[in-house]
PDB file of all heavy atoms in Angstrom:
ATOM      1  N   ILE A   1      -9.620   0.173  -4.207  1.00  0.00           N
ATOM      2  CA  ILE A   1      -9.030  -0.074  -2.887  1.00  0.00           C
ATOM      3  C   ILE A   1      -9.663  -1.320  -2.273  1.00  0.00           C
ATOM      4  O   ILE A   1     -10.867  -1.549  -2.402  1.00  0.00           O
ATOM      5  CB  ILE A   1      -9.215   1.163  -1.979  1.00  0.00           C
ATOM      6  CG1 ILE A   1      -8.422   1.030  -0.680  1.00  0.00           C
ATOM      7  CG2 ILE A   1     -10.676   1.449  -1.722  1.00  0.00           C
ATOM      8  CD1 ILE A   1      -8.367   2.321   0.122  1.00  0.00           C
ATOM      9  N   ALA A   2      -8.820  -2.156  -1.636  1.00  0.00           N
ATOM     10  CA  ALA A   2      -9.303  -3.360  -0.954  1.00  0.00           C
ATOM     11  C   ALA A   2      -8.261  -3.784   0.077  1.00  0.00           C
ATOM     12  O   ALA A   2      -7.069  -3.581  -0.126  1.00  0.00           O
ATOM     13  CB  ALA A   2      -9.534  -4.498  -1.945  1.00  0.00           C
ATOM     14  N   ILE A   3      -8.721  -4.381   1.143  1.00  0.00           N
ATOM     15  CA  ILE A   3      -7.807  -4.835   2.194  1.00  0.00           C
ATOM     16  C   ILE A   3      -7.626  -6.347   2.091  1.00  0.00           C
ATOM     17  O   ILE A   3      -8.553  -7.069   1.712  1.00  0.00           O
ATOM     18  CB  ILE A   3      -8.319  -4.414   3.588  1.00  0.00           C
ATOM     19  CG1 ILE A   3      -7.199  -4.484   4.611  1.00  0.00           C
ATOM     20  CG2 ILE A   3      -9.536  -5.223   4.003  1.00  0.00           C
ATOM     21  CD1 ILE A   3      -7.438  -3.648   5.844  1.00  0.00           C
ATOM     22  N   SER A   4      -6.442  -6.812   2.389  1.00  0.00           N
ATOM     23  CA  SER A   4      -6.176  -8.252   2.325  1.00  0.00           C
ATOM     24  C   SER A   4      -6.997  -8.987   3.381  1.00  0.00           C
ATOM     25  O   SER A   4      -7.427  -8.399   4.377  1.00  0.00           O
ATOM     26  CB  SER A   4      -4.681  -8.528   2.518  1.00  0.00           C
ATOM     27  OG  SER A   4      -4.257  -8.085   3.788  1.00  0.00           O
ATOM     28  N   ALA A   5      -7.189 -10.267   3.177  1.00  0.00           N
ATOM     29  CA  ALA A   5      -8.035 -11.055   4.083  1.00  0.00           C
ATOM     30  C   ALA A   5      -7.513 -11.055   5.512  1.00  0.00           C
ATOM     31  O   ALA A   5      -8.293 -11.137   6.461  1.00  0.00           O
ATOM     32  CB  ALA A   5      -8.167 -12.488   3.568  1.00  0.00           C
ATOM     33  N   ASP A   6      -6.184 -10.937   5.687  1.00  0.00           N
ATOM     34  CA  ASP A   6      -5.623 -10.921   7.040  1.00  0.00           C
ATOM     35  C   ASP A   6      -5.447  -9.502   7.585  1.00  0.00           C
ATOM     36  O   ASP A   6      -4.977  -9.304   8.706  1.00  0.00           O
ATOM     37  CB  ASP A   6      -4.294 -11.674   7.089  1.00  0.00           C
ATOM     38  CG  ASP A   6      -3.202 -11.035   6.245  1.00  0.00           C
ATOM     39  OD1 ASP A   6      -3.437  -9.943   5.655  1.00  0.00           O
ATOM     40  OD2 ASP A   6      -2.110 -11.611   6.161  1.00  0.00           O
ATOM     41  N   GLY A   7      -5.803  -8.495   6.783  1.00  0.00           N
ATOM     42  CA  GLY A   7      -5.722  -7.108   7.217  1.00  0.00           C
ATOM     43  C   GLY A   7      -4.332  -6.506   7.189  1.00  0.00           C
ATOM     44  O   GLY A   7      -4.160  -5.349   7.577  1.00  0.00           O
ATOM     45  N   SER A   8      -3.343  -7.233   6.705  1.00  0.00           N
ATOM     46  CA  SER A   8      -1.961  -6.750   6.777  1.00  0.00           C
ATOM     47  C   SER A   8      -1.573  -5.806   5.642  1.00  0.00           C
ATOM     48  O   SER A   8      -0.617  -5.043   5.776  1.00  0.00           O
ATOM     49  CB  SER A   8      -0.992  -7.929   6.804  1.00  0.00           C
ATOM     50  OG  SER A   8      -1.015  -8.614   5.557  1.00  0.00           O
ATOM     51  N   ARG A   9      -2.286  -5.872   4.517  1.00  0.00           N
ATOM     52  CA  ARG A   9      -1.924  -5.048   3.352  1.00  0.00           C
ATOM     53  C   ARG A   9      -3.165  -4.354   2.804  1.00  0.00           C
ATOM     54  O   ARG A   9      -4.241  -4.953   2.730  1.00  0.00           O
ATOM     55  CB  ARG A   9      -1.326  -5.897   2.222  1.00  0.00           C
ATOM     56  CG  ARG A   9      -0.188  -6.799   2.576  1.00  0.00           C
ATOM     57  CD  ARG A   9       1.147  -6.177   2.680  1.00  0.00           C
ATOM     58  NE  ARG A   9       1.611  -5.467   1.500  1.00  0.00           N
ATOM     59  CZ  ARG A   9       2.695  -4.676   1.541  1.00  0.00           C
ATOM     60  NH1 ARG A   9       3.375  -4.520   2.668  1.00  0.00           N
ATOM     61  NH2 ARG A   9       3.095  -4.046   0.460  1.00  0.00           N
ATOM     62  N   LEU A  10      -2.986  -3.108   2.405  1.00  0.00           N
ATOM     63  CA  LEU A  10      -4.022  -2.368   1.701  1.00  0.00           C
ATOM     64  C   LEU A  10      -3.635  -2.337   0.233  1.00  0.00           C
ATOM     65  O   LEU A  10      -2.541  -1.890  -0.121  1.00  0.00           O
ATOM     66  CB  LEU A  10      -4.145  -0.947   2.248  1.00  0.00           C
ATOM     67  CG  LEU A  10      -5.273  -0.130   1.635  1.00  0.00           C
ATOM     68  CD1 LEU A  10      -6.614  -0.643   2.147  1.00  0.00           C
ATOM     69  CD2 LEU A  10      -5.108   1.345   1.956  1.00  0.00           C
ATOM     70  N   HIS A  11      -4.511  -2.838  -0.629  1.00  0.00           N
ATOM     71  CA  HIS A  11      -4.255  -2.880  -2.064  1.00  0.00           C
ATOM     72  C   HIS A  11      -4.985  -1.721  -2.728  1.00  0.00           C
ATOM     73  O   HIS A  11      -6.095  -1.370  -2.336  1.00  0.00           O
ATOM     74  CB  HIS A  11      -4.737  -4.214  -2.640  1.00  0.00           C
ATOM     75  CG  HIS A  11      -3.922  -5.374  -2.156  1.00  0.00           C
ATOM     76  ND1 HIS A  11      -3.070  -6.059  -2.985  1.00  0.00           N
ATOM     77  CD2 HIS A  11      -3.807  -5.952  -0.938  1.00  0.00           C
ATOM     78  CE1 HIS A  11      -2.470  -7.020  -2.292  1.00  0.00           C
ATOM     79  NE2 HIS A  11      -2.910  -6.975  -1.053  1.00  0.00           N
ATOM     80  N   TYR A  12      -4.366  -1.156  -3.770  1.00  0.00           N
ATOM     81  CA  TYR A  12      -4.963  -0.005  -4.453  1.00  0.00           C
ATOM     82  C   TYR A  12      -4.446   0.067  -5.874  1.00  0.00           C
ATOM     83  O   TYR A  12      -3.423  -0.544  -6.222  1.00  0.00           O
ATOM     84  CB  TYR A  12      -4.652   1.294  -3.694  1.00  0.00           C
ATOM     85  CG  TYR A  12      -3.189   1.584  -3.514  1.00  0.00           C
ATOM     86  CD1 TYR A  12      -2.502   2.413  -4.396  1.00  0.00           C
ATOM     87  CD2 TYR A  12      -2.466   1.007  -2.467  1.00  0.00           C
ATOM     88  CE1 TYR A  12      -1.148   2.668  -4.236  1.00  0.00           C
ATOM     89  CE2 TYR A  12      -1.111   1.261  -2.296  1.00  0.00           C
ATOM     90  CZ  TYR A  12      -0.453   2.087  -3.185  1.00  0.00           C
ATOM     91  OH  TYR A  12       0.879   2.336  -3.018  1.00  0.00           O
ATOM     92  N   CYS A  13      -5.174   0.817  -6.705  1.00  0.00           N
ATOM     93  CA  CYS A  13      -4.736   0.968  -8.092  1.00  0.00           C
ATOM     94  C   CYS A  13      -5.185   2.317  -8.638  1.00  0.00           C
ATOM     95  O   CYS A  13      -6.272   2.782  -8.335  1.00  0.00           O
ATOM     96  CB  CYS A  13      -5.270  -0.159  -8.967  1.00  0.00           C
ATOM     97  SG  CYS A  13      -7.063  -0.210  -9.131  1.00  0.00           S
ATOM     98  N   PRO A  14      -4.339   2.941  -9.457  1.00  0.00           N
ATOM     99  CA  PRO A  14      -4.783   4.110 -10.200  1.00  0.00           C
ATOM    100  C   PRO A  14      -5.816   3.687 -11.239  1.00  0.00           C
ATOM    101  O   PRO A  14      -5.731   2.580 -11.796  1.00  0.00           O
ATOM    102  CB  PRO A  14      -3.515   4.626 -10.880  1.00  0.00           C
ATOM    103  CG  PRO A  14      -2.387   4.008 -10.115  1.00  0.00           C
ATOM    104  CD  PRO A  14      -2.914   2.688  -9.640  1.00  0.00           C
ATOM    105  N   LEU A  15      -6.778   4.536 -11.528  1.00  0.00           N
ATOM    106  CA  LEU A  15      -7.774   4.207 -12.543  1.00  0.00           C
ATOM    107  C   LEU A  15      -7.120   4.134 -13.909  1.00  0.00           C
ATOM    108  O   LEU A  15      -7.416   3.247 -14.703  1.00  0.00           O
ATOM    109  CB  LEU A  15      -8.900   5.253 -12.538  1.00  0.00           C
ATOM    110  CG  LEU A  15     -10.058   4.955 -13.482  1.00  0.00           C
ATOM    111  CD1 LEU A  15     -11.369   5.333 -12.845  1.00  0.00           C
ATOM    112  CD2 LEU A  15      -9.888   5.665 -14.817  1.00  0.00           C
ATOM    113  N   ALA A  16      -6.218   5.054 -14.208  1.00  0.00           N
ATOM    114  CA  ALA A  16      -5.549   5.088 -15.508  1.00  0.00           C
ATOM    115  C   ALA A  16      -4.223   4.330 -15.433  1.00  0.00           C
ATOM    116  O   ALA A  16      -3.146   4.900 -15.504  1.00  0.00           O
ATOM    117  CB  ALA A  16      -5.331   6.533 -15.947  1.00  0.00           C
ATOM    118  N   SER A  17      -4.341   3.018 -15.253  1.00  0.00           N
ATOM    119  CA  SER A  17      -3.161   2.172 -15.144  1.00  0.00           C
ATOM    120  C   SER A  17      -3.576   0.710 -15.224  1.00  0.00           C
ATOM    121  O   SER A  17      -4.703   0.371 -14.859  1.00  0.00           O
ATOM    122  CB  SER A  17      -2.455   2.421 -13.804  1.00  0.00           C
ATOM    123  OG  SER A  17      -1.398   1.516 -13.612  1.00  0.00           O
ATOM    124  N   ARG A  18      -2.678  -0.118 -15.670  1.00  0.00           N
ATOM    125  CA  ARG A  18      -2.908  -1.566 -15.633  1.00  0.00           C
ATOM    126  C   ARG A  18      -2.165  -2.215 -14.478  1.00  0.00           C
ATOM    127  O   ARG A  18      -2.158  -3.424 -14.334  1.00  0.00           O
ATOM    128  CB  ARG A  18      -2.487  -2.199 -16.958  1.00  0.00           C
ATOM    129  CG  ARG A  18      -3.409  -1.840 -18.097  1.00  0.00           C
ATOM    130  CD  ARG A  18      -3.185  -2.692 -19.330  1.00  0.00           C
ATOM    131  NE  ARG A  18      -4.146  -2.322 -20.344  1.00  0.00           N
ATOM    132  CZ  ARG A  18      -3.962  -1.365 -21.250  1.00  0.00           C
ATOM    133  NH1 ARG A  18      -2.824  -0.716 -21.277  1.00  0.00           N
ATOM    134  NH2 ARG A  18      -4.909  -1.078 -22.120  1.00  0.00           N
ATOM    135  N   ARG A  19      -1.539  -1.424 -13.626  1.00  0.00           N
ATOM    136  CA  ARG A  19      -0.776  -1.947 -12.492  1.00  0.00           C
ATOM    137  C   ARG A  19      -1.551  -1.712 -11.205  1.00  0.00           C
ATOM    138  O   ARG A  19      -2.422  -0.854 -11.130  1.00  0.00           O
ATOM    139  CB  ARG A  19       0.592  -1.292 -12.426  1.00  0.00           C
ATOM    140  CG  ARG A  19       1.397  -1.497 -13.699  1.00  0.00           C
ATOM    141  CD  ARG A  19       2.858  -1.316 -13.507  1.00  0.00           C
ATOM    142  NE  ARG A  19       3.504  -2.432 -12.824  1.00  0.00           N
ATOM    143  CZ  ARG A  19       3.736  -3.627 -13.353  1.00  0.00           C
ATOM    144  NH1 ARG A  19       3.361  -3.893 -14.573  1.00  0.00           N
ATOM    145  NH2 ARG A  19       4.348  -4.569 -12.649  1.00  0.00           N
ATOM    146  N   TRP A  20      -1.194  -2.510 -10.183  1.00  0.00           N
ATOM    147  CA  TRP A  20      -1.759  -2.287  -8.855  1.00  0.00           C
ATOM    148  C   TRP A  20      -0.695  -2.500  -7.810  1.00  0.00           C
ATOM    149  O   TRP A  20       0.367  -3.072  -8.089  1.00  0.00           O
ATOM    150  CB  TRP A  20      -3.010  -3.129  -8.636  1.00  0.00           C
ATOM    151  CG  TRP A  20      -2.843  -4.619  -8.646  1.00  0.00           C
ATOM    152  CD1 TRP A  20      -2.062  -5.372  -9.465  1.00  0.00           C
ATOM    153  CD2 TRP A  20      -3.511  -5.550  -7.810  1.00  0.00           C
ATOM    154  NE1 TRP A  20      -2.216  -6.713  -9.191  1.00  0.00           N
ATOM    155  CE2 TRP A  20      -3.099  -6.851  -8.169  1.00  0.00           C
ATOM    156  CE3 TRP A  20      -4.426  -5.419  -6.777  1.00  0.00           C
ATOM    157  CZ2 TRP A  20      -3.559  -7.999  -7.546  1.00  0.00           C
ATOM    158  CZ3 TRP A  20      -4.895  -6.569  -6.158  1.00  0.00           C
ATOM    159  CH2 TRP A  20      -4.470  -7.836  -6.546  1.00  0.00           C
ATOM    160  N   TYR A  21      -0.963  -2.003  -6.607  1.00  0.00           N
ATOM    161  CA  TYR A  21       0.048  -1.920  -5.565  1.00  0.00           C
ATOM    162  C   TYR A  21      -0.574  -2.281  -4.220  1.00  0.00           C
ATOM    163  O   TYR A  21      -1.788  -2.321  -4.071  1.00  0.00           O
ATOM    164  CB  TYR A  21       0.619  -0.491  -5.495  1.00  0.00           C
ATOM    165  CG  TYR A  21       1.163  -0.019  -6.812  1.00  0.00           C
ATOM    166  CD1 TYR A  21       0.335   0.603  -7.749  1.00  0.00           C
ATOM    167  CD2 TYR A  21       2.496  -0.222  -7.147  1.00  0.00           C
ATOM    168  CE1 TYR A  21       0.830   1.017  -8.980  1.00  0.00           C
ATOM    169  CE2 TYR A  21       3.002   0.190  -8.376  1.00  0.00           C
ATOM    170  CZ  TYR A  21       2.150   0.811  -9.294  1.00  0.00           C
ATOM    171  OH  TYR A  21       2.641   1.199 -10.500  1.00  0.00           O
ATOM    172  N   SER A  22       0.303  -2.517  -3.238  1.00  0.00           N
ATOM    173  CA  SER A  22      -0.168  -2.700  -1.865  1.00  0.00           C
ATOM    174  C   SER A  22       0.819  -2.027  -0.922  1.00  0.00           C
ATOM    175  O   SER A  22       1.970  -1.774  -1.275  1.00  0.00           O
ATOM    176  CB  SER A  22      -0.331  -4.182  -1.521  1.00  0.00           C
ATOM    177  OG  SER A  22       0.934  -4.824  -1.453  1.00  0.00           O
ATOM    178  N   VAL A  23       0.354  -1.753   0.287  1.00  0.00           N
ATOM    179  CA  VAL A  23       1.173  -1.102   1.304  1.00  0.00           C
ATOM    180  C   VAL A  23       0.809  -1.721   2.649  1.00  0.00           C
ATOM    181  O   VAL A  23      -0.325  -2.166   2.859  1.00  0.00           O
ATOM    182  CB  VAL A  23       0.935   0.428   1.298  1.00  0.00           C
ATOM    183  CG1 VAL A  23      -0.503   0.788   1.629  1.00  0.00           C
ATOM    184  CG2 VAL A  23       1.915   1.152   2.218  1.00  0.00           C
ATOM    185  N   ALA A  24       1.755  -1.768   3.561  1.00  0.00           N
ATOM    186  CA  ALA A  24       1.516  -2.344   4.884  1.00  0.00           C
ATOM    187  C   ALA A  24       0.541  -1.466   5.678  1.00  0.00           C
ATOM    188  O   ALA A  24       0.764  -0.264   5.816  1.00  0.00           O
ATOM    189  CB  ALA A  24       2.833  -2.477   5.643  1.00  0.00           C
ATOM    190  N   THR A  25      -0.510  -2.067   6.193  1.00  0.00           N
ATOM    191  CA  THR A  25      -1.488  -1.293   6.970  1.00  0.00           C
ATOM    192  C   THR A  25      -0.897  -0.782   8.273  1.00  0.00           C
ATOM    193  O   THR A  25      -1.248   0.310   8.730  1.00  0.00           O
ATOM    194  CB  THR A  25      -2.756  -2.120   7.242  1.00  0.00           C
ATOM    195  OG1 THR A  25      -2.390  -3.355   7.867  1.00  0.00           O
ATOM    196  CG2 THR A  25      -3.518  -2.403   5.961  1.00  0.00           C
ATOM    197  N   ASP A  26       0.003  -1.545   8.882  1.00  0.00           N
ATOM    198  CA  ASP A  26       0.656  -1.065  10.114  1.00  0.00           C
ATOM    199  C   ASP A  26       1.421   0.225   9.861  1.00  0.00           C
ATOM    200  O   ASP A  26       1.420   1.132  10.693  1.00  0.00           O
ATOM    201  CB  ASP A  26       1.603  -2.122  10.680  1.00  0.00           C
ATOM    202  CG  ASP A  26       0.873  -3.299  11.317  1.00  0.00           C
ATOM    203  OD1 ASP A  26      -0.353  -3.178  11.544  1.00  0.00           O
ATOM    204  OD2 ASP A  26       1.529  -4.325  11.579  1.00  0.00           O
ATOM    205  N   ALA A  27       2.069   0.313   8.713  1.00  0.00           N
ATOM    206  CA  ALA A  27       2.822   1.522   8.376  1.00  0.00           C
ATOM    207  C   ALA A  27       1.882   2.706   8.140  1.00  0.00           C
ATOM    208  O   ALA A  27       2.158   3.822   8.577  1.00  0.00           O
ATOM    209  CB  ALA A  27       3.693   1.274   7.151  1.00  0.00           C
ATOM    210  N   LEU A  28       0.776   2.451   7.450  1.00  0.00           N
ATOM    211  CA  LEU A  28      -0.192   3.523   7.213  1.00  0.00           C
ATOM    212  C   LEU A  28      -0.742   4.081   8.518  1.00  0.00           C
ATOM    213  O   LEU A  28      -0.964   5.286   8.655  1.00  0.00           O
ATOM    214  CB  LEU A  28      -1.361   3.010   6.363  1.00  0.00           C
ATOM    215  CG  LEU A  28      -1.089   2.679   4.910  1.00  0.00           C
ATOM    216  CD1 LEU A  28      -2.318   2.039   4.285  1.00  0.00           C
ATOM    217  CD2 LEU A  28      -0.667   3.919   4.128  1.00  0.00           C
ATOM    218  N   ALA A  29      -0.962   3.203   9.469  1.00  0.00           N
ATOM    219  CA  ALA A  29      -1.604   3.601  10.728  1.00  0.00           C
ATOM    220  C   ALA A  29      -0.645   4.246  11.729  1.00  0.00           C
ATOM    221  O   ALA A  29      -1.091   4.918  12.654  1.00  0.00           O
ATOM    222  CB  ALA A  29      -2.273   2.385  11.364  1.00  0.00           C
ATOM    223  N   ASP A  30       0.653   4.049  11.532  1.00  0.00           N
ATOM    224  CA  ASP A  30       1.636   4.577  12.483  1.00  0.00           C
ATOM    225  C   ASP A  30       1.975   6.024  12.138  1.00  0.00           C
ATOM    226  O   ASP A  30       2.745   6.295  11.231  1.00  0.00           O
ATOM    227  CB  ASP A  30       2.903   3.717  12.458  1.00  0.00           C
ATOM    228  CG  ASP A  30       3.906   4.094  13.531  1.00  0.00           C
ATOM    229  OD1 ASP A  30       3.797   5.196  14.114  1.00  0.00           O
ATOM    230  OD2 ASP A  30       4.818   3.273  13.778  1.00  0.00           O
ATOM    231  N   ARG A  31       1.417   6.965  12.890  1.00  0.00           N
ATOM    232  CA  ARG A  31       1.620   8.387  12.600  1.00  0.00           C
ATOM    233  C   ARG A  31       3.062   8.829  12.847  1.00  0.00           C
ATOM    234  O   ARG A  31       3.472   9.893  12.393  1.00  0.00           O
ATOM    235  CB  ARG A  31       0.665   9.231  13.435  1.00  0.00           C
ATOM    236  CG  ARG A  31      -0.781   8.990  13.034  1.00  0.00           C
ATOM    237  CD  ARG A  31      -1.710   9.951  13.685  1.00  0.00           C
ATOM    238  NE  ARG A  31      -1.650  11.241  12.972  1.00  0.00           N
ATOM    239  CZ  ARG A  31      -2.454  12.239  13.204  1.00  0.00           C
ATOM    240  NH1 ARG A  31      -3.384  12.152  14.126  1.00  0.00           N
ATOM    241  NH2 ARG A  31      -2.342  13.363  12.537  1.00  0.00           N
ATOM    242  N   ASP A  32       3.841   8.029  13.564  1.00  0.00           N
ATOM    243  CA  ASP A  32       5.231   8.394  13.844  1.00  0.00           C
ATOM    244  C   ASP A  32       6.184   8.049  12.695  1.00  0.00           C
ATOM    245  O   ASP A  32       7.318   8.515  12.677  1.00  0.00           O
ATOM    246  CB  ASP A  32       5.717   7.708  15.127  1.00  0.00           C
ATOM    247  CG  ASP A  32       4.985   8.223  16.364  1.00  0.00           C
ATOM    248  OD1 ASP A  32       4.582   9.410  16.366  1.00  0.00           O
ATOM    249  OD2 ASP A  32       4.803   7.433  17.304  1.00  0.00           O
ATOM    250  N   LEU A  33       5.728   7.228  11.749  1.00  0.00           N
ATOM    251  CA  LEU A  33       6.586   6.865  10.618  1.00  0.00           C
ATOM    252  C   LEU A  33       6.654   8.008   9.610  1.00  0.00           C
ATOM    253  O   LEU A  33       5.647   8.658   9.332  1.00  0.00           O
ATOM    254  CB  LEU A  33       6.075   5.612   9.918  1.00  0.00           C
ATOM    255  CG  LEU A  33       6.254   4.275  10.623  1.00  0.00           C
ATOM    256  CD1 LEU A  33       5.788   3.149   9.710  1.00  0.00           C
ATOM    257  CD2 LEU A  33       7.693   4.050  11.046  1.00  0.00           C
ATOM    258  N   THR A  34       7.825   8.208   9.032  1.00  0.00           N
ATOM    259  CA  THR A  34       7.979   9.203   7.972  1.00  0.00           C
ATOM    260  C   THR A  34       7.348   8.676   6.686  1.00  0.00           C
ATOM    261  O   THR A  34       7.118   7.464   6.540  1.00  0.00           O
ATOM    262  CB  THR A  34       9.457   9.496   7.708  1.00  0.00           C
ATOM    263  OG1 THR A  34      10.072   8.304   7.184  1.00  0.00           O
ATOM    264  CG2 THR A  34      10.170   9.962   8.979  1.00  0.00           C
ATOM    265  N   GLU A  35       7.104   9.585   5.747  1.00  0.00           N
ATOM    266  CA  GLU A  35       6.562   9.177   4.453  1.00  0.00           C
ATOM    267  C   GLU A  35       7.486   8.182   3.751  1.00  0.00           C
ATOM    268  O   GLU A  35       7.017   7.237   3.120  1.00  0.00           O
ATOM    269  CB  GLU A  35       6.335  10.402   3.562  1.00  0.00           C
ATOM    270  CG  GLU A  35       5.042  11.135   3.861  1.00  0.00           C
ATOM    271  CD  GLU A  35       3.806  10.284   3.603  1.00  0.00           C
ATOM    272  OE1 GLU A  35       3.643   9.723   2.503  1.00  0.00           O
ATOM    273  OE2 GLU A  35       2.993  10.163   4.534  1.00  0.00           O
ATOM    274  N   ASP A  36       8.793   8.396   3.881  1.00  0.00           N
ATOM    275  CA  ASP A  36       9.746   7.483   3.240  1.00  0.00           C
ATOM    276  C   ASP A  36       9.653   6.074   3.810  1.00  0.00           C
ATOM    277  O   ASP A  36       9.749   5.085   3.069  1.00  0.00           O
ATOM    278  CB  ASP A  36      11.172   8.004   3.377  1.00  0.00           C
ATOM    279  CG  ASP A  36      11.447   9.210   2.483  1.00  0.00           C
ATOM    280  OD1 ASP A  36      10.658   9.435   1.535  1.00  0.00           O
ATOM    281  OD2 ASP A  36      12.445   9.915   2.730  1.00  0.00           O
ATOM    282  N   LEU A  37       9.463   5.964   5.114  1.00  0.00           N
ATOM    283  CA  LEU A  37       9.350   4.638   5.728  1.00  0.00           C
ATOM    284  C   LEU A  37       8.046   3.953   5.333  1.00  0.00           C
ATOM    285  O   LEU A  37       8.013   2.736   5.131  1.00  0.00           O
ATOM    286  CB  LEU A  37       9.473   4.747   7.249  1.00  0.00           C
ATOM    287  CG  LEU A  37      10.876   5.093   7.766  1.00  0.00           C
ATOM    288  CD1 LEU A  37      10.852   5.306   9.276  1.00  0.00           C
ATOM    289  CD2 LEU A  37      11.872   3.998   7.399  1.00  0.00           C
ATOM    290  N   VAL A  38       6.968   4.721   5.227  1.00  0.00           N
ATOM    291  CA  VAL A  38       5.702   4.139   4.743  1.00  0.00           C
ATOM    292  C   VAL A  38       5.883   3.689   3.297  1.00  0.00           C
ATOM    293  O   VAL A  38       5.516   2.568   2.934  1.00  0.00           O
ATOM    294  CB  VAL A  38       4.542   5.147   4.869  1.00  0.00           C
ATOM    295  CG1 VAL A  38       3.268   4.579   4.240  1.00  0.00           C
ATOM    296  CG2 VAL A  38       4.288   5.513   6.324  1.00  0.00           C
ATOM    297  N   ALA A  39       6.453   4.539   2.461  1.00  0.00           N
ATOM    298  CA  ALA A  39       6.651   4.215   1.043  1.00  0.00           C
ATOM    299  C   ALA A  39       7.530   2.985   0.858  1.00  0.00           C
ATOM    300  O   ALA A  39       7.371   2.245  -0.118  1.00  0.00           O
ATOM    301  CB  ALA A  39       7.247   5.414   0.310  1.00  0.00           C
ATOM    302  N   ALA A  40       8.437   2.743   1.789  1.00  0.00           N
ATOM    303  CA  ALA A  40       9.307   1.576   1.688  1.00  0.00           C
ATOM    304  C   ALA A  40       8.531   0.266   1.800  1.00  0.00           C
ATOM    305  O   ALA A  40       9.040  -0.791   1.418  1.00  0.00           O
ATOM    306  CB  ALA A  40      10.390   1.631   2.765  1.00  0.00           C
ATOM    307  N   THR A  41       7.302   0.301   2.309  1.00  0.00           N
ATOM    308  CA  THR A  41       6.487  -0.913   2.424  1.00  0.00           C
ATOM    309  C   THR A  41       5.579  -1.133   1.213  1.00  0.00           C
ATOM    310  O   THR A  41       4.845  -2.114   1.162  1.00  0.00           O
ATOM    311  CB  THR A  41       5.618  -0.883   3.701  1.00  0.00           C
ATOM    312  OG1 THR A  41       4.553   0.054   3.558  1.00  0.00           O
ATOM    313  CG2 THR A  41       6.449  -0.554   4.939  1.00  0.00           C
ATOM    314  N   VAL A  42       5.625  -0.209   0.239  1.00  0.00           N
ATOM    315  CA  VAL A  42       4.807  -0.350  -0.973  1.00  0.00           C
ATOM    316  C   VAL A  42       5.359  -1.481  -1.829  1.00  0.00           C
ATOM    317  O   VAL A  42       6.570  -1.577  -2.049  1.00  0.00           O
ATOM    318  CB  VAL A  42       4.765   0.965  -1.780  1.00  0.00           C
ATOM    319  CG1 VAL A  42       4.119   0.751  -3.148  1.00  0.00           C
ATOM    320  CG2 VAL A  42       4.020   2.041  -1.001  1.00  0.00           C
ATOM    321  N   ALA A  43       4.470  -2.334  -2.305  1.00  0.00           N
ATOM    322  CA  ALA A  43       4.857  -3.421  -3.215  1.00  0.00           C
ATOM    323  C   ALA A  43       4.092  -3.276  -4.526  1.00  0.00           C
ATOM    324  O   ALA A  43       2.891  -2.988  -4.527  1.00  0.00           O
ATOM    325  CB  ALA A  43       4.542  -4.781  -2.590  1.00  0.00           C
ATOM    326  N   ASP A  44       4.778  -3.451  -5.641  1.00  0.00           N
ATOM    327  CA  ASP A  44       4.151  -3.467  -6.958  1.00  0.00           C
ATOM    328  C   ASP A  44       3.565  -4.865  -7.146  1.00  0.00           C
ATOM    329  O   ASP A  44       4.301  -5.851  -7.189  1.00  0.00           O
ATOM    330  CB  ASP A  44       5.193  -3.149  -8.021  1.00  0.00           C
ATOM    331  CG  ASP A  44       4.615  -3.055  -9.427  1.00  0.00           C
ATOM    332  OD1 ASP A  44       3.550  -3.650  -9.691  1.00  0.00           O
ATOM    333  OD2 ASP A  44       5.246  -2.402 -10.276  1.00  0.00           O
ATOM    334  N   GLU A  45       2.245  -4.954  -7.231  1.00  0.00           N
ATOM    335  CA  GLU A  45       1.565  -6.247  -7.360  1.00  0.00           C
ATOM    336  C   GLU A  45       1.505  -6.738  -8.806  1.00  0.00           C
ATOM    337  O   GLU A  45       0.986  -7.806  -9.066  1.00  0.00           O
ATOM    338  CB  GLU A  45       0.161  -6.167  -6.767  1.00  0.00           C
ATOM    339  CG  GLU A  45       0.134  -5.870  -5.270  1.00  0.00           C
ATOM    340  CD  GLU A  45       0.567  -7.043  -4.419  1.00  0.00           C
ATOM    341  OE1 GLU A  45       0.491  -8.192  -4.901  1.00  0.00           O
ATOM    342  OE2 GLU A  45       0.984  -6.819  -3.273  1.00  0.00           O
ATOM    343  N   GLY A  46       2.004  -5.917  -9.740  1.00  0.00           N
ATOM    344  CA  GLY A  46       2.099  -6.362 -11.124  1.00  0.00           C
ATOM    345  C   GLY A  46       0.979  -5.862 -12.016  1.00  0.00           C
ATOM    346  O   GLY A  46       0.154  -5.040 -11.636  1.00  0.00           O
TER     347      GLY A  46
END
């Protein structure tokens, strides 16, 4: 887990994987957003 330099994205990776992902920190912090709306901000970083 690591946060982007501007704080806008949280990056993470499964241990058993060669891929990594990021998600919008604003979405993570907004308790009013549904899980689907948070998941919609996930990006596959490759």
Side-chain angles (χ1 to χ4, degrees):
I1 189 169
I3 198 159
S4 62
D6 64 4
S8 68
R9 308 280 303 169
L10 184 72
H11 292 250
Y12 58 95
C13 64
L15 185 141
S17 174
R18 290 193 178 89
R19 302 201 75 73
W20 64 320
Y21 305 87
S22 69
V23 62
T25 54
D26 287 347
L28 290 173
D30 187 344
R31 294 189 79 172
D32 294 329
L33 287 185
T34 66
E35 279 297 307
D36 287 343
L37 289 175
V38 175
T41 72
V42 170
D44 184 336
E45 297 287 338

